[in-house]
Amino acid sequence: MAAEIVNPRSTDAGTGTSGNARGAARGTAGGGPGGTGSAQGGTGSARSGTGSAQGEPFDQAFDPAFALHRGGKMAIQATVPIRDKDDLSLAYTPGVAKVCSAIADRPELVHDYTWKSQVVAVVTDGTAVLGLGDIGPEASLPVMEGKAILFKQFGGVDAVPLALGTTDTDEIIETVVRLAPSFGGVNLEDISAPRCFEIERRLQERLDIPVFHDDQHGTAIVTLAALRNAAKLTGRPLGDLRAVISGAGAAGVAIAKFLLEAGIGDVAVADRKGLVSPDRGDLTDVKRELAGLTNRTRLSGSLESALSGADVFIGVSGGTVPEPAIASMAPGAFVFAMANPNPEVHPDIAHQYASVVATGRSDYPNQINNVLAFPGVFAGALQVRASRITEGMKLAAANALADVVGDELAADYVIPSPFDERVAPAVTAAVAAAARAEGVARR
């Protein structure tokens, strides 16, 4: 079986990247994943029909987003035909019994004779959905379906949305462990911090398949790729840069650790109460660990004070950074204001002081979008049947993503478009090679 995309947006104009990837990247502004785009596909799904305003809350029947989502965005489709009794006897009983018996004798054959090695579970409890917060499992499903079709469209990976009716850490872990035999990987999505850190760690300890919290690592991979290219563009080594991150949740913590792994000079992280530092007595275990790894110059106080002379601002908080703080940054600074839909600092203001500006939005250049990472990361891991996703695999993904830009590198093009057809193959190959080099590949 395979996941079938229902009511897909047309991306023909965005996929012709071999001739001019940069033009394609700019041509898709406003129509990227998560954007409102247009009502292409409309309501003409075979399953959904055209619908009517009857029973629709408010005026949603006339909203293209609701029209596209009617009936859901995906379905399950068979990959083999059932045309007659001979087909039936092979696909199901009695033929299927031979395959079951073979797998019982040699469990590793499950990867060859089922879809296990090409399907990912997209798991959430609905507690940290987009910028909407704790909206519950049912309300999270449109996002999880969206994630699943992005896996399929951009990485060729099948994915199944699983919105769990519990927020208890132990129950989530036990549920996923019991479901794991059906999947080749687990993508954790929109689970609130700090529980997300423990859930990912404990699941990976118990499972021999990749467990990947995209809000953490997908964001970190794409951020590092963009930062590498920004540094290359301006002729500065990563080790000479000092970064300040606004937000000490899942993304902020992961980005900070990943940048340090990649060799950045220093990084300080701020939460609502100011900079995370060892002298604070209100830190969680996660933030206490972060304080020991970051902020080597032992800055204290506010985010704004830390930005004075800083080379990089990375926003993953949804807060607002005042213009004077951005103005106080070092000459030629980089501003990655990634809160969505409202960046921490408006790009027009950031451009007055920064040499490179990136956001999380599809209607501005340099979109930091996780879809650039997670489809290829999982495709590469599944290709070699990796037991986990290592730091080396994530670094390889970031480097491959940065390299896609190549000679077209410019201030408004430090990261490729999600519709650049070179992205997923490059990331997939790099991740697979790194898995083999690090000894976690099983084929």
Side-chain angles (χ1 to χ4, degrees):
M1 293 187 297
E4 176 190 13
I5 300 174
V6 175
N7 273 347
R9 297 182 194 272
S10 171
T11 57
D12 293 345
T15 56
T17 55
S18 58
N20 190 336
R22 187 176 176 187
R26 293 171 171 172
T28 56
T36 55
S38 68
Q40 290 176 351
T43 56
S45 159
R47 295 188 303 132
S48 63
T50 57
S52 70
Q54 185 176 8
E56 292 283 358
F58 310 109
D59 60 351
Q60 291 167 358
F62 307 104
D63 187 318
F66 282 87
L68 182 143
H69 282 78
R70 179 176 285 281
K73 298 192 292 287
M74 59 183 294
I76 298 297
Q77 182 182 43
T79 58
V80 296
I82 307 293
R83 297 162 299 197
D84 52 37
K85 65 181 181 64
D86 292 331
D87 289 341
L88 182 60
S89 69
L90 289 173
Y92 202 55
T93 184
V96 72
K98 299 178 183 178
V99 181
C100 293
S101 297
I103 294 172
D105 291 338
R106 294 176 55 196
E108 70 276 10
L109 292 179
V110 69
H111 297 283
D112 297 309
Y113 294 106
T114 73
W115 77 339
K116 179 181 173 72
S117 277
Q118 56 195 20
V119 65
V120 170
V122 180
V123 178
T124 190
D125 64 357
T127 54
V129 181
L130 302 177
L132 304 174
D134 185 355
I135 60 175
E138 289 86 0
S140 76
L141 267 176
V143 178
M144 301 310 116
E145 287 185 4
K147 200 79 173 188
I149 68 172
L150 295 180
F151 264 113
K152 186 66 173 180
Q153 180 145 333
F154 291 100
V157 174
D158 289 300
V160 177
L162 297 174
L164 305 184
T166 179
T167 59
D168 181 85
T169 295
D170 291 334
E171 289 183 356
I172 291 171
I173 292 167
E174 292 303 322
T175 300
V176 175
V177 167
R178 284 162 173 74
L179 290 167
S182 296
F183 299 98
V186 176
N187 183 87
L188 300 175
E189 189 74 22
D190 293 349
I191 298 174
S192 62
R195 296 176 309 119
C196 60
F197 303 111
E198 180 182 357
I199 290 170
E200 182 189 44
R201 175 182 57 79
R202 288 173 57 188
L203 279 174
Q204 190 61 84
E205 288 171 353
R206 293 183 61 178
L207 299 178
D208 65 348
I209 58 175
V211 179
F212 184 86
H213 185 207
D214 186 50
D215 300 324
Q216 293 184 61
H217 311 301
T219 310
I221 288 168
V222 184
T223 300
L224 176 59
L227 185 58
R228 279 198 184 284
N229 275 342
K232 179 180 179 182
L233 179 69
T234 55
R236 284 180 279 181
L238 206 61
D240 289 350
L241 301 179
R242 178 171 73 87
V244 177
I245 298 174
S246 174
V253 170
I255 292 169
K257 290 181 176 180
F258 199 49
L259 293 185
L260 290 171
E261 183 78 19
I264 197 168
D266 195 12
V267 56
V269 183
D271 61 13
R272 291 183 180 89
K273 296 181 180 179
L275 293 174
V276 175
S277 58
D279 60 347
R280 282 180 48 182
D282 60 344
L283 300 180
T284 64
D285 290 343
V286 171
K287 291 182 182 179
R288 193 173 298 111
E289 178 194 10
L290 187 67
L293 297 172
T294 62
N295 195 7
R296 293 164 180 163
T297 55
R298 292 295 179 259
L299 297 173
S300 60
S302 67
L303 167 76
E304 289 81 4
S305 64
L307 281 174
S308 178
D311 303 291
V312 185
F313 167 72
I314 297 171
V316 284
S317 66
T320 300
V321 178
E323 182 175 348
I326 299 298
S328 73
M329 295 178 68
F334 312 143
V335 172
F336 293 1
M338 292 151 49
N340 219 344
N342 299 312
E344 289 85 355
V345 54
H346 195 280
D348 291 345
I349 294 175
H351 275 297
Q352 297 178 34
Y353 309 102
S355 61
V356 177
V357 176
T359 72
R361 292 175 54 139
S362 59
D363 52 350
Y364 289 99
N366 296 328
Q367 183 191 16
I368 308 293
N369 191 327
N370 288 14
V371 77
L372 289 163
F374 68 82
V377 168
F378 268 99
L382 294 176
Q383 184 181 97
V384 297
R385 296 178 189 168
S387 58
R388 63 183 57 240
I389 294 170
T390 66
E391 289 300 303
M393 292 161 72
K394 291 184 284 185
L395 286 168
N399 291 338
L401 184 55
D403 289 345
V404 168
V405 172
D407 294 338
E408 296 178 280
L409 181 62
D412 62 351
Y413 189 57
V414 297
I415 199 75
S417 161
F419 294 101
D420 188 327
E421 290 180 332
R422 300 171 297 173
V423 168
V427 174
T428 298
V431 169
R436 291 190 177 101
E438 301 215 327
V440 297
R442 290 176 286 197
R443 75 168 183 181

